[in-house]
Each structure stands twice: as structure tokens, then as C-alpha cells.
Amino acid sequence: MSKIAEVKAMVEAGKAKLVPGLVQEALDAGNAAGDILAGMIDSMGVVGDKFSAGELFVPEMLMAAKAMSKGVDVLKPHLTGESATSLGTCVIGTVAGDLHDIGKNLVAMMLESVGFNVVDLGVDVSAEKFVDAVRENDNVKIVACSGLLTTTMPAMKETVQSLKNSGLTGFKVIVGGAPVSQAMADEIGADGFAPDAGGAAVKAKELAHA
Ligand code: B12
């Protein structure tokens, strides 16, 4: 079994203690950090499908998430570069009612690596909290909203609308997460969408310069 296949199997099995060592071994064997990350993201897809099929439950899903997070910690220095320039501040969070944060954390990491000062509000963030963060932080150029549940899409819409109606200016709003699409982003009035963390960084840079 290849090292990446071993990492994937252990993420799926939720082996948080084993994953960091295996990720390091995969790096040492010459695998690119991006390929190892893609493998772990695949594993989360498998876990989600098994959850849908009733083959595993929330505790197993949580263990897989913990295992992936530990693996990402090892990859972090290999995925991000030091950026000398500052593109301004990016406020990021997962919208109200939603506790999923792996994708949001990856997006935050990539935004930081391209030169944003990232203010991470965490998960289950209300629309008011997003607006307060824009008011309270200097030079906010981007607000990034993450959401993984179809049931929290109304909260994402409310967040975008609250930000747009706040009277505050100088920033753009980007949205993302598995159920989000460009069409949905357009419909709720967001300025940008990207399907993954790398795309989020590209889109944020483009909008911050616009
Ligand atoms: C791990 C997980 C959990 C963990 C989360 C732990 C954590 N710390 O995040 C736990 C166990 C807590 C959990 C709970 C629940 N979950 Co859950 N979970 C997952 C799972 C398996 C993986 C999610 C993940 O981390 N993916 C990997 C990351 C890297 O991908 P990502 O988040 O999509 O992020 C990428 C992009 O979307 C994008 N992106 C993300 N955010 C942003 C933001 C911006 C601005 C941009 C531009 C891009 C962007 O970039 C990221 C990196 O490339 C998914 C299955 C799946 N296929 O997604 C189900 C899934 C999301 N969960 C689901 C469900 C139903 C639940 C529960 C309701 C289960 C329950 N009965 O309690 C609860 C809800 C809790 C809550 N209130 O939030 C469903 C959602 C169904 C739906 N359509 O709404 C899924 C799809 C599983 C399924 N197939 O049924 N879950």
C-alpha cells in the first residue's frame, strides 16, 4: 500500500494518533503535500458517503475529522509559504448553526499564506458577529463565510445580506463549502465563490485588488 493510501485508510478509520506519523512518512517518501491533502479530503468524502448510507455515525465522523486535522497540522508548513506583503485583513468563520471547520481552517491557512492577516471567528458565527468583526478590525478587505449543511444556507444568506446592509464599506464577501455553488453565491449577493481552499485564496486576492 502506498503511503498516501495508508494515510487515507487511517483518516477514514479515525486514527488521530497514527495519522501525523504516517503523513510525515508520506512526506519523507517524496509525496507532495498537496497530494497528501487531496487524499485526506477524499477520505472525508468516503466518510460522508458512509454516513449517508448509515454505515457509520456522528462519533466516527468526528474521529475522522480529528484524524484529518492532526494530519493537516503536519502538512501546514509544507502547504504555506511566507508572504512578505500584507493584502489587508480577512475575517473568516463558519455560519450560524454549523460546526464544520476543517474546510474553513484550510481556507484560512491558504489566505494567510498569500498575505492576508486572518481573523478567524470560529464556528457557529452569527451574522451580527461577522458585522461586528468588520467594524472592530482594521483594513478588512475580505469576509469569508463557510457552510457545510444545506440547513445552514439560509444563515449564509442572512450573513451576506447583513454585511451588505451594514453600511460598512471597503470589503468583499466570499462564500464556500460543499453545498455552495457560483449560482448560489450570485443568488445571495456574495461577491465571490471558490470550490476549494486554493481557489479561495486566488479569488480573495483578486477581489482585494479590485
Ligand atoms: C467531518 C464531518 C462532520 C464533523 C465535523 C467536525 C469538524 N471539526 O469540522 C461532525 C461529526 C461534527 C459533523 C457533524 C454533523 N454533520 Co457532518 N460531515 C463531516 C464530513 C464527513 C466531512 C466534512 C469535511 O471536513 N470535509 C473536508 C473539507 C476539506 O471539505 P469542505 O469542508 O467541503 O471544504 C472545502 C471546500 O468546500 C471549500 N470551502 C470550505 N469553506 C469555504 C469557505 C469559502 C469562503 C470558500 C471560498 C471555500 C470554502 O474549501 C475547502 C477546502 O478545499 C461531511 C461529508 C462531506 N462529504 O463533506 C459531513 C456532512 C457535511 N455532515 C453532514 C451532517 C448531516 C451532519 C450532522 C447534521 C449530523 C448529525 N445528525 O448530527 C452534524 C451537524 C453538526 C452541525 N451543527 O454542524 C452532511 C450534510 C448534509 C447536508 N447536505 O446538509 C454531510 C455532507 C455528510 C452526509 N453525506 O450526509 N460532521
Side-chain angles (χ1 to χ4, degrees), residues 65-83:
K66 279 194 182 145
M68 170 150 183
S69 296
K70 294 276 179 204
V72 170
D73 287 346
V74 177
L75 286 183
K76 194 173 175 181
H78 301 271
L79 289 168
T80 58
E82 281 297 310
S83 176

Side-chain angles (χ1 to χ4, degrees), residues 51 56-65:
F51 175 78
L56 54 74
F57 304 94
V58 171
E60 286 96 337
M61 208 153 63
L62 193 54
M63 282 159 69

Side-chain angles (χ1 to χ4, degrees), residues 142-171:
I142 299 289
V143 179
C145 306
S146 181
L148 263 279
L149 297 171
T150 45
T151 48
T152 54
M153 292 300 105
M156 185 171 276
K157 183 175 180 181
E158 190 197 334
T159 302
V160 174
Q161 289 180 348
S162 298
L163 286 161
K164 294 287 173 187
N165 296 333
S166 65
L168 297 163
T169 55
F171 66 93

Side-chain angles (χ1 to χ4, degrees), residues 2-9 11 19-44 67-68 70-76 78-79 106:
S2 76
K3 283 291 164 200
I4 292 185
E6 281 184 52
V7 170
K8 288 175 71 170
V11 168
V19 167
L22 285 170
V23 168
Q24 189 58 55
E25 283 176 30
L27 285 168
D28 294 343
N31 292 287
D35 293 342
I36 304 170
L37 179 65
M40 292 199 288
I41 292 176
D42 270 3
S43 296
M44 299 310 280
M68 170 150 183
K70 294 276 179 204
V72 170
D73 287 346
V74 177
L75 286 183
K76 194 173 175 181
H78 301 271
L79 289 168
L106 286 172

